[in-house]
Amino acid sequence: MAQQNLVVCSKCGGVNRLPPARNAREAKCGKCGIRLFSGHPEDVDAATFDHQIARSSLPVVVDIWAPWCGPCKMMAPAYEAAANELEPHVRLIKLNSDSEQAIAARLDIRGIPTMILFHGGREIARTSGAMTAGQIVRWVRDRLPTVTA
């Protein structure tokens, strides 16, 4: 029997079992009813961030940003385009370092934008500085060779 993925809803934090045979792009959260994958990275709070990292069986990329950061604003459309390309194999979320200062401190964020790749509850890689959509996709795929489409 194939392994089911555990997918955490970025809106409500509900954990959903997703069988491999199911079309992940059409899957909806069993708790709140929204689509689990929209191609749009959700801005999450501390609790949802922790839930994503701890409970999701998918790799999770977190963009740590702030509303006043010029490079962060510049990278936002590229990050969204990368989410559209990498989902449903990878979850992309955003964390506002101004509103979630404790998480930013725990992650030892020294500059923004910073992207951190988590898998299996642990940090796999991180990079700082604005990137294009192609660079983001390549960065993720270089670190997760099993992520192709």
Side-chain angles (χ1 to χ4, degrees):
M1 186 168 134
Q3 177 87 16
Q4 291 189 49
N5 282 318
L6 294 179
V7 179
V8 178
C9 178
S10 292
K11 283 282 190 196
C12 73
V15 180
N16 297 267
R17 293 187 190 282
L18 189 62
R22 180 139 184 229
N23 181 353
R25 290 196 183 270
E26 299 298 321
K28 293 184 178 178
C29 177
K31 186 175 176 184
C32 72
I34 70 152
R35 278 196 162 159
L36 290 172
F37 299 101
S38 64
H40 173 76
E42 291 294 329
D43 204 356
V44 299
D45 62 13
T48 305
F49 167 81
D50 284 336
H51 220 116
Q52 284 285 355
I53 303 309
R55 299 292 310 271
S56 181
S57 63
L58 298 177
V60 178
V61 179
V62 183
D63 171 26
I64 295 95
W65 69 286
W68 50 263
C69 170
C72 298
K73 289 181 191 176
M74 210 170 66
M75 190 175 93
Y79 194 70
E80 183 144 348
N84 200 35
E85 187 166 340
L86 291 167
E87 285 185 351
H89 305 287
V90 179
R91 163 75 75 203
L92 279 78
I93 59 176
K94 297 175 71 68
L95 184 80
N96 181 331
S97 62
D98 280 356
S99 56
E100 300 298 343
Q101 293 178 13
I103 298 286
R106 188 175 84 201
L107 294 172
D108 196 28
I109 301 303
R110 299 180 183 271
I112 52 175
T114 292
M115 285 190 315
I116 304 176
L117 172 61
F118 292 91
H119 195 224
R122 64 184 185 87
E123 182 177 328
I124 302 295
R126 77 168 55 199
T127 188
S128 293
M131 300 168 82
T132 66
Q135 289 171 322
I136 295 167
V137 169
R138 196 167 33 260
W139 181 80
V140 170
R141 287 184 176 156
D142 285 350
R143 280 138 194 89
L144 296 170
T146 58
V147 175
T148 55

